[in-house]
Amino acid sequence: MARILDGNRVRDEIKDELRPRVAALASRCRPPGLAVVLVGHNPASEIYVRNKMKACQDLGIYSETLTPPESASTEEVIEIVRQVNARPEIDGLLVQLPLPVQVDAKRVLLALDPDKDADGIHPCNVGRLVAGLPGPRACTPAGIIEMLKRYGILIAGRRAVVVGRSDIVGKPVAILLLHEHATVTICHSKTADLAAVCRQADILVAAIGRPAMITRDFIKPGATVIDVGSNYVEDRDLAARIFRNSPEKLASFDRKGNVLVGDVDPIDVVERAGAYTPVPGGVGPLTIAMLMVNTVASAERRLGVC
Ligand code: NAP
């Protein structure tokens, strides 16, 4: 039976390690501060931002959400970013994606002060990542490395395959795995014979956005499988196929009209893998935990604590 890599447990550990660091900052100077710019009313984004605010409250990190209207222009969002850049009590800043279509997300990202870039995705921090220099790391990729390390999963010398080459997950997790001395292959939608490439992986990371696409043919027996996917399936036939042995999941689908599914087939992974992250409860909880890490580390750097 494959070992479950429990993201909630790792998140709690990370948060518990942050508590004394936040307390030390608060007693010596001030608590760390995180600002989130949430443009318009995307319901999923509103939930994500609420969860980020809750995590801050739980840790004693000062937080605030700035909410320009759905109609905001690129210039208006950039002006908000510039104002937050200049505020000394804010150590971390992020602009929640996706942005409304009229807002140029790349220009907004470039306006962030790289030292306050709580998501670790400003090109300057991508450069620091590639060069192995200190700086905020992309949260989900950093969370994946924490998960592997805390479960004692050997990375050095092992073959890692990352499916997905996005700027926020696929590319940075591949670089982080490389820094940990894995031999890394990055795959994407044009990769030939994807299943054969994935079957070579000791560590397989799926960051695709396609429900249950990674089936048993993609998984080397005993591999560690990290499922980043977060897909809401609304098609009952697809849900019934994915959760073919789980009447409770289907009952939940029938109540809610959708079900959360990763990029990895949840039954095949249990039968083939040596260890895997479930969805939900795997990679998901770590993203916010690493956002908190970036914010606290930024405050420590800015206040000269470390
Ligand atoms: P993205 O920007 O849409 O990138 C998806 C990647 O998958 C692309 O590189 C794409 O290849 C590749 N791909 C798509 N179809 C493929 C196929 N049939 N075969 C091989 N590769 C394929 O997505 P993302 O932002 O990286 O997110 C990926 C998933 O992770 C989504 O489900 C997202 O919701 C989830 N996510 C979860 C968290 C979390 O905290 N748990 C955080 C971030 C993202 P091309 O480049 O060739 O198009």
Short mmCIF file of all heavy atoms in Angstrom, two decimals, residues 48 139-141 163-171 186-191 194 206-211 213-214 218 227-232 261-263 279 282-288, ligand 1:
data_model
loop_
_atom_site.label_atom_id
_atom_site.label_comp_id
_atom_site.label_asym_id
_atom_site.label_seq_id
_atom_site.Cartn_x
_atom_site.Cartn_y
_atom_site.Cartn_z
N TYR A 48 -9.54 31.77 -1.90
CA TYR A 48 -8.09 31.63 -1.68
C TYR A 48 -7.58 32.76 -0.79
O TYR A 48 -6.79 32.53 0.13
CB TYR A 48 -7.32 31.67 -3.01
CG TYR A 48 -7.55 30.46 -3.90
CD1 TYR A 48 -7.70 30.61 -5.28
CD2 TYR A 48 -7.59 29.17 -3.38
CE1 TYR A 48 -7.91 29.51 -6.11
CE2 TYR A 48 -7.80 28.08 -4.20
CZ TYR A 48 -7.97 28.25 -5.56
OH TYR A 48 -8.17 27.17 -6.37
N CYS A 139 5.70 29.40 -4.15
CA CYS A 139 5.20 28.74 -2.94
C CYS A 139 4.89 27.25 -3.15
O CYS A 139 5.30 26.42 -2.33
CB CYS A 139 3.95 29.46 -2.45
SG CYS A 139 4.28 31.16 -1.98
N THR A 140 4.16 26.91 -4.20
CA THR A 140 3.79 25.50 -4.38
C THR A 140 5.05 24.65 -4.61
O THR A 140 5.21 23.60 -3.96
CB THR A 140 2.78 25.37 -5.54
OG1 THR A 140 1.67 26.23 -5.25
CG2 THR A 140 2.29 23.95 -5.70
N PRO A 141 5.96 25.05 -5.50
CA PRO A 141 7.19 24.27 -5.67
C PRO A 141 7.99 24.12 -4.37
O PRO A 141 8.47 23.04 -4.04
CB PRO A 141 7.98 25.07 -6.72
CG PRO A 141 6.92 25.77 -7.51
CD PRO A 141 5.87 26.13 -6.50
N VAL A 163 5.67 16.97 -15.05
CA VAL A 163 4.77 17.17 -16.19
C VAL A 163 4.10 18.53 -16.00
O VAL A 163 3.35 18.73 -15.04
CB VAL A 163 3.71 16.05 -16.30
CG1 VAL A 163 2.96 16.20 -17.63
CG2 VAL A 163 4.35 14.68 -16.21
N GLY A 164 4.39 19.46 -16.91
CA GLY A 164 3.91 20.85 -16.80
C GLY A 164 5.10 21.79 -16.75
O GLY A 164 6.10 21.48 -16.08
N ARG A 165 5.00 22.90 -17.49
CA ARG A 165 6.13 23.84 -17.55
C ARG A 165 5.67 25.27 -17.29
O ARG A 165 6.15 26.23 -17.90
CB ARG A 165 6.81 23.75 -18.92
CG ARG A 165 5.85 23.95 -20.08
CD ARG A 165 6.58 23.95 -21.41
NE ARG A 165 5.64 23.77 -22.52
CZ ARG A 165 6.00 23.70 -23.79
NH1 ARG A 165 7.26 23.84 -24.12
NH2 ARG A 165 5.11 23.52 -24.74
N SER A 166 4.68 25.40 -16.36
CA SER A 166 4.22 26.76 -16.06
C SER A 166 5.28 27.50 -15.25
O SER A 166 6.14 26.89 -14.61
CB SER A 166 2.90 26.72 -15.28
OG SER A 166 3.13 26.24 -13.98
N ASP A 167 5.15 28.85 -15.28
CA ASP A 167 6.11 29.68 -14.53
C ASP A 167 5.91 29.54 -13.02
O ASP A 167 6.84 29.80 -12.26
CB ASP A 167 5.95 31.16 -14.92
CG ASP A 167 6.42 31.41 -16.34
OD1 ASP A 167 7.19 30.58 -16.88
OD2 ASP A 167 5.99 32.42 -16.94
N ILE A 168 4.67 29.18 -12.60
CA ILE A 168 4.44 29.16 -11.14
C ILE A 168 4.64 27.78 -10.53
O ILE A 168 4.84 27.67 -9.32
CB ILE A 168 3.05 29.72 -10.76
CG1 ILE A 168 1.92 28.90 -11.41
CG2 ILE A 168 2.91 31.18 -11.10
CD1 ILE A 168 0.57 29.18 -10.76
N VAL A 169 4.55 26.72 -11.33
CA VAL A 169 4.75 25.38 -10.76
C VAL A 169 5.83 24.59 -11.49
O VAL A 169 6.89 24.29 -10.95
CB VAL A 169 3.43 24.56 -10.72
CG1 VAL A 169 3.67 23.26 -9.94
CG2 VAL A 169 2.28 25.32 -10.12
N GLY A 170 5.57 24.22 -12.74
CA GLY A 170 6.44 23.26 -13.44
C GLY A 170 7.89 23.68 -13.49
O GLY A 170 8.78 22.93 -13.05
N LYS A 171 8.17 24.89 -14.02
CA LYS A 171 9.58 25.30 -14.15
C LYS A 171 10.26 25.44 -12.79
O LYS A 171 11.35 24.89 -12.59
CB LYS A 171 9.68 26.61 -14.94
CG LYS A 171 9.46 26.43 -16.44
CD LYS A 171 9.57 27.80 -17.11
CE LYS A 171 8.85 27.85 -18.43
NZ LYS A 171 8.61 29.24 -18.86
N ILE A 186 11.63 17.73 -17.85
CA ILE A 186 10.39 18.51 -17.84
C ILE A 186 9.57 18.12 -19.07
O ILE A 186 10.08 18.16 -20.20
CB ILE A 186 10.66 20.03 -17.88
CG1 ILE A 186 11.61 20.44 -16.75
CG2 ILE A 186 9.36 20.81 -17.81
CD1 ILE A 186 12.01 21.91 -16.78
N CYS A 187 8.31 17.76 -18.86
CA CYS A 187 7.42 17.37 -19.97
C CYS A 187 6.30 18.40 -20.12
O CYS A 187 6.02 19.17 -19.21
CB CYS A 187 6.79 16.02 -19.68
SG CYS A 187 8.00 14.71 -19.43
N HIS A 188 5.65 18.35 -21.27
CA HIS A 188 4.59 19.30 -21.59
C HIS A 188 3.68 18.70 -22.64
O HIS A 188 3.81 17.51 -22.95
CB HIS A 188 5.21 20.63 -22.05
CG HIS A 188 6.30 20.43 -23.03
ND1 HIS A 188 6.06 20.11 -24.35
CD2 HIS A 188 7.65 20.42 -22.86
CE1 HIS A 188 7.21 19.95 -24.96
NE2 HIS A 188 8.20 20.13 -24.09
N SER A 189 2.81 19.51 -23.20
CA SER A 189 1.78 18.96 -24.09
C SER A 189 2.35 18.41 -25.40
O SER A 189 1.69 17.68 -26.11
CB SER A 189 0.71 20.01 -24.38
OG SER A 189 1.29 21.10 -25.07
N LYS A 190 3.59 18.77 -25.72
CA LYS A 190 4.18 18.27 -26.98
C LYS A 190 5.16 17.11 -26.74
O LYS A 190 5.80 16.66 -27.67
CB LYS A 190 4.94 19.41 -27.71
CG LYS A 190 4.11 20.67 -27.98
CD LYS A 190 3.06 20.41 -29.05
CE LYS A 190 2.34 21.69 -29.45
NZ LYS A 190 1.46 22.21 -28.38
N THR A 191 5.29 16.67 -25.50
CA THR A 191 6.22 15.57 -25.20
C THR A 191 5.75 14.29 -25.88
O THR A 191 4.57 13.91 -25.74
CB THR A 191 6.31 15.36 -23.67
OG1 THR A 191 6.83 16.55 -23.08
CG2 THR A 191 7.21 14.18 -23.32
N LEU A 194 4.57 10.39 -23.55
CA LEU A 194 4.64 10.91 -22.18
C LEU A 194 4.65 9.79 -21.14
O LEU A 194 5.41 9.84 -20.17
CB LEU A 194 3.44 11.86 -21.96
CG LEU A 194 3.35 12.53 -20.60
CD1 LEU A 194 4.52 13.47 -20.39
CD2 LEU A 194 2.04 13.29 -20.47
N ALA A 206 3.07 15.93 -11.11
CA ALA A 206 2.05 16.22 -12.12
C ALA A 206 1.46 17.58 -11.86
O ALA A 206 0.81 17.81 -10.84
CB ALA A 206 0.95 15.15 -12.08
N ALA A 207 1.73 18.54 -12.76
CA ALA A 207 1.20 19.90 -12.62
C ALA A 207 0.63 20.29 -13.98
O ALA A 207 1.20 21.07 -14.72
CB ALA A 207 2.30 20.86 -12.19
N ILE A 208 -0.51 19.71 -14.29
CA ILE A 208 -1.05 19.74 -15.65
C ILE A 208 -2.39 20.49 -15.73
O ILE A 208 -2.61 21.28 -16.66
CB ILE A 208 -1.27 18.28 -16.16
CG1 ILE A 208 -0.02 17.43 -15.89
CG2 ILE A 208 -1.63 18.25 -17.63
CD1 ILE A 208 -0.26 15.93 -15.98
N GLY A 209 -3.26 20.20 -14.77
CA GLY A 209 -4.60 20.79 -14.85
C GLY A 209 -5.55 19.94 -15.66
O GLY A 209 -6.48 20.47 -16.27
N ARG A 210 -5.31 18.61 -15.67
CA ARG A 210 -6.22 17.68 -16.38
C ARG A 210 -6.58 16.55 -15.43
O ARG A 210 -5.70 15.77 -15.02
CB ARG A 210 -5.56 17.09 -17.62
CG ARG A 210 -5.11 18.17 -18.56
CD ARG A 210 -5.09 17.71 -20.00
NE ARG A 210 -4.67 18.83 -20.80
CZ ARG A 210 -5.47 19.57 -21.56
NH1 ARG A 210 -6.73 19.26 -21.66
NH2 ARG A 210 -5.00 20.59 -22.22
N PRO A 211 -7.88 16.46 -15.07
CA PRO A 211 -8.28 15.52 -14.03
C PRO A 211 -7.87 14.08 -14.33
O PRO A 211 -8.20 13.55 -15.39
CB PRO A 211 -9.81 15.66 -13.97
CG PRO A 211 -10.22 16.54 -15.10
CD PRO A 211 -9.01 17.26 -15.58
N MET A 213 -5.38 12.52 -15.29
CA MET A 213 -4.72 12.16 -16.56
C MET A 213 -3.60 11.13 -16.35
O MET A 213 -3.33 10.31 -17.23
CB MET A 213 -4.14 13.42 -17.20
CG MET A 213 -3.75 13.22 -18.65
SD MET A 213 -2.80 14.61 -19.28
CE MET A 213 -1.16 13.93 -19.25
N ILE A 214 -2.94 11.21 -15.21
CA ILE A 214 -1.81 10.30 -14.94
C ILE A 214 -2.38 8.99 -14.39
O ILE A 214 -2.81 8.93 -13.22
CB ILE A 214 -0.82 10.94 -13.94
CG1 ILE A 214 -0.26 12.26 -14.50
CG2 ILE A 214 0.29 9.97 -13.56
CD1 ILE A 214 0.58 12.15 -15.74
N PHE A 218 1.59 5.46 -16.39
CA PHE A 218 2.57 6.53 -16.24
C PHE A 218 3.44 6.36 -14.99
O PHE A 218 4.39 7.11 -14.80
CB PHE A 218 1.87 7.90 -16.10
CG PHE A 218 1.12 8.36 -17.32
CD1 PHE A 218 -0.01 7.70 -17.77
CD2 PHE A 218 1.53 9.49 -18.01
CE1 PHE A 218 -0.72 8.15 -18.88
CE2 PHE A 218 0.84 9.95 -19.12
CZ PHE A 218 -0.29 9.27 -19.56
N ASP A 227 1.02 15.10 -6.71
CA ASP A 227 -0.11 15.54 -7.54
C ASP A 227 -0.44 17.00 -7.20
O ASP A 227 -0.99 17.29 -6.14
CB ASP A 227 -1.31 14.64 -7.25
CG ASP A 227 -2.46 14.89 -8.20
OD1 ASP A 227 -2.40 15.86 -8.99
OD2 ASP A 227 -3.44 14.12 -8.15
N VAL A 228 -0.09 17.90 -8.12
CA VAL A 228 -0.34 19.33 -7.88
C VAL A 228 -1.75 19.71 -8.35
O VAL A 228 -2.31 20.72 -7.93
CB VAL A 228 0.72 20.19 -8.61
CG1 VAL A 228 0.55 21.67 -8.27
CG2 VAL A 228 2.12 19.75 -8.25
N GLY A 229 -2.31 18.90 -9.22
CA GLY A 229 -3.59 19.25 -9.88
C GLY A 229 -4.69 19.60 -8.90
O GLY A 229 -4.81 19.02 -7.82
N SER A 230 -5.48 20.55 -9.30
CA SER A 230 -6.62 20.98 -8.49
C SER A 230 -7.74 21.29 -9.48
O SER A 230 -7.86 22.41 -9.96
CB SER A 230 -6.18 22.20 -7.69
OG SER A 230 -7.23 22.74 -6.96
N ASN A 231 -8.52 20.26 -9.80
CA ASN A 231 -9.50 20.38 -10.88
C ASN A 231 -10.89 20.08 -10.33
O ASN A 231 -11.08 19.06 -9.66
CB ASN A 231 -9.20 19.36 -11.98
CG ASN A 231 -7.73 19.33 -12.37
OD1 ASN A 231 -7.23 20.28 -12.93
ND2 ASN A 231 -7.04 18.23 -12.06
N TYR A 232 -11.85 20.94 -10.62
CA TYR A 232 -13.23 20.66 -10.21
C TYR A 232 -13.96 19.99 -11.37
O TYR A 232 -14.18 20.59 -12.41
CB TYR A 232 -13.93 21.95 -9.78
CG TYR A 232 -13.52 22.33 -8.38
CD1 TYR A 232 -12.46 23.20 -8.17
CD2 TYR A 232 -14.15 21.76 -7.28
CE1 TYR A 232 -12.05 23.51 -6.87
CE2 TYR A 232 -13.75 22.07 -5.98
CZ TYR A 232 -12.70 22.94 -5.79
OH TYR A 232 -12.28 23.23 -4.52
N VAL A 261 -10.59 16.92 -8.03
CA VAL A 261 -9.78 15.79 -8.52
C VAL A 261 -8.39 16.33 -8.86
O VAL A 261 -8.26 17.42 -9.42
CB VAL A 261 -10.43 15.19 -9.80
CG1 VAL A 261 -9.58 14.05 -10.35
CG2 VAL A 261 -11.85 14.71 -9.52
N GLY A 262 -7.37 15.54 -8.58
CA GLY A 262 -6.01 15.91 -8.96
C GLY A 262 -5.74 15.55 -10.41
O GLY A 262 -6.65 15.18 -11.17
N ASP A 263 -4.46 15.67 -10.78
CA ASP A 263 -4.05 15.29 -12.14
C ASP A 263 -3.73 13.79 -12.22
O ASP A 263 -3.43 13.27 -13.30
CB ASP A 263 -2.80 16.08 -12.55
CG ASP A 263 -3.11 17.54 -12.80
OD1 ASP A 263 -4.30 17.89 -13.01
OD2 ASP A 263 -2.17 18.36 -12.77
N VAL A 279 -5.32 14.27 -3.12
CA VAL A 279 -6.06 15.52 -3.43
C VAL A 279 -7.49 15.31 -2.95
O VAL A 279 -8.14 14.36 -3.40
CB VAL A 279 -6.06 15.80 -4.95
CG1 VAL A 279 -6.92 17.04 -5.24
CG2 VAL A 279 -4.64 16.00 -5.46
N GLY A 282 -2.95 17.15 0.07
CA GLY A 282 -1.55 16.87 -0.25
C GLY A 282 -0.78 18.16 -0.42
O GLY A 282 -0.42 18.83 0.57
N VAL A 283 -0.58 18.54 -1.68
CA VAL A 283 0.21 19.75 -1.98
C VAL A 283 -0.55 21.02 -1.58
O VAL A 283 0.05 22.00 -1.12
CB VAL A 283 0.53 19.78 -3.50
CG1 VAL A 283 1.14 21.11 -3.90
CG2 VAL A 283 1.47 18.63 -3.86
N GLY A 284 -1.87 21.01 -1.75
CA GLY A 284 -2.69 22.22 -1.54
C GLY A 284 -2.35 22.97 -0.26
O GLY A 284 -2.04 24.17 -0.31
N PRO A 285 -2.40 22.32 0.92
CA PRO A 285 -2.17 23.06 2.17
C PRO A 285 -0.78 23.71 2.26
O PRO A 285 -0.59 24.65 3.03
CB PRO A 285 -2.31 21.98 3.25
CG PRO A 285 -3.03 20.85 2.61
CD PRO A 285 -2.75 20.91 1.15
N LEU A 286 0.18 23.19 1.49
CA LEU A 286 1.55 23.70 1.61
C LEU A 286 1.74 25.05 0.94
O LEU A 286 2.65 25.81 1.30
CB LEU A 286 2.54 22.70 1.01
CG LEU A 286 2.52 21.33 1.69
CD1 LEU A 286 3.48 20.40 1.01
CD2 LEU A 286 2.86 21.49 3.15
N THR A 287 0.91 25.36 -0.04
CA THR A 287 1.10 26.60 -0.79
C THR A 287 0.95 27.81 0.14
O THR A 287 1.81 28.71 0.14
CB THR A 287 0.11 26.66 -1.97
OG1 THR A 287 0.36 25.53 -2.78
CG2 THR A 287 0.28 27.92 -2.79
N ILE A 288 -0.09 27.81 0.96
CA ILE A 288 -0.28 28.94 1.87
C ILE A 288 0.79 28.91 2.96
O ILE A 288 1.31 29.96 3.37
CB ILE A 288 -1.71 28.96 2.46
CG1 ILE A 288 -2.71 29.26 1.34
CG2 ILE A 288 -1.83 29.99 3.59
CD1 ILE A 288 -4.15 29.41 1.77
P1 NAP B 1 -0.84 25.73 -16.52
O1 NAP B 1 -0.19 27.04 -16.44
O2 NAP B 1 -2.14 25.59 -17.25
O3 NAP B 1 0.21 24.68 -17.13
C1 NAP B 1 -0.18 23.38 -17.42
C2 NAP B 1 0.97 22.65 -18.00
O4 NAP B 1 0.54 21.31 -18.30
C3 NAP B 1 1.50 23.26 -19.32
O5 NAP B 1 2.90 23.30 -19.31
C4 NAP B 1 0.97 22.30 -20.38
O6 NAP B 1 1.85 22.13 -21.48
C5 NAP B 1 0.92 20.99 -19.62
N1 NAP B 1 -0.06 20.11 -20.22
C6 NAP B 1 -1.36 20.37 -20.50
N2 NAP B 1 -1.92 19.31 -21.09
C7 NAP B 1 -0.98 18.38 -21.19
C8 NAP B 1 -0.96 17.07 -21.72
N3 NAP B 1 -2.05 16.51 -22.26
N4 NAP B 1 0.19 16.38 -21.67
C9 NAP B 1 1.30 16.93 -21.14
N5 NAP B 1 1.35 18.16 -20.61
C10 NAP B 1 0.21 18.87 -20.64
O7 NAP B 1 -1.15 25.14 -15.05
P2 NAP B 1 -0.44 25.42 -13.63
O8 NAP B 1 -0.75 26.80 -13.19
O9 NAP B 1 0.96 24.94 -13.64
O10 NAP B 1 -1.31 24.43 -12.72
C11 NAP B 1 -1.34 23.04 -12.97
C12 NAP B 1 -2.35 22.39 -12.04
O11 NAP B 1 -1.93 22.61 -10.70
C13 NAP B 1 -3.76 22.99 -12.13
O12 NAP B 1 -4.70 21.96 -11.85
C14 NAP B 1 -3.79 24.01 -11.02
O13 NAP B 1 -5.09 24.26 -10.55
C15 NAP B 1 -2.97 23.30 -9.99
N6 NAP B 1 -2.32 24.17 -9.01
C16 NAP B 1 -2.46 23.82 -7.71
C17 NAP B 1 -1.82 24.57 -6.74
C18 NAP B 1 -1.96 24.17 -5.31
O14 NAP B 1 -1.67 24.94 -4.42
N7 NAP B 1 -2.38 22.92 -5.04
C19 NAP B 1 -1.07 25.69 -7.08
C20 NAP B 1 -0.90 26.01 -8.42
C21 NAP B 1 -1.53 25.22 -9.38
P3 NAP B 1 2.14 23.31 -22.55
O15 NAP B 1 3.09 24.24 -21.86
O16 NAP B 1 2.76 22.59 -23.69
O17 NAP B 1 0.82 23.94 -22.85
#
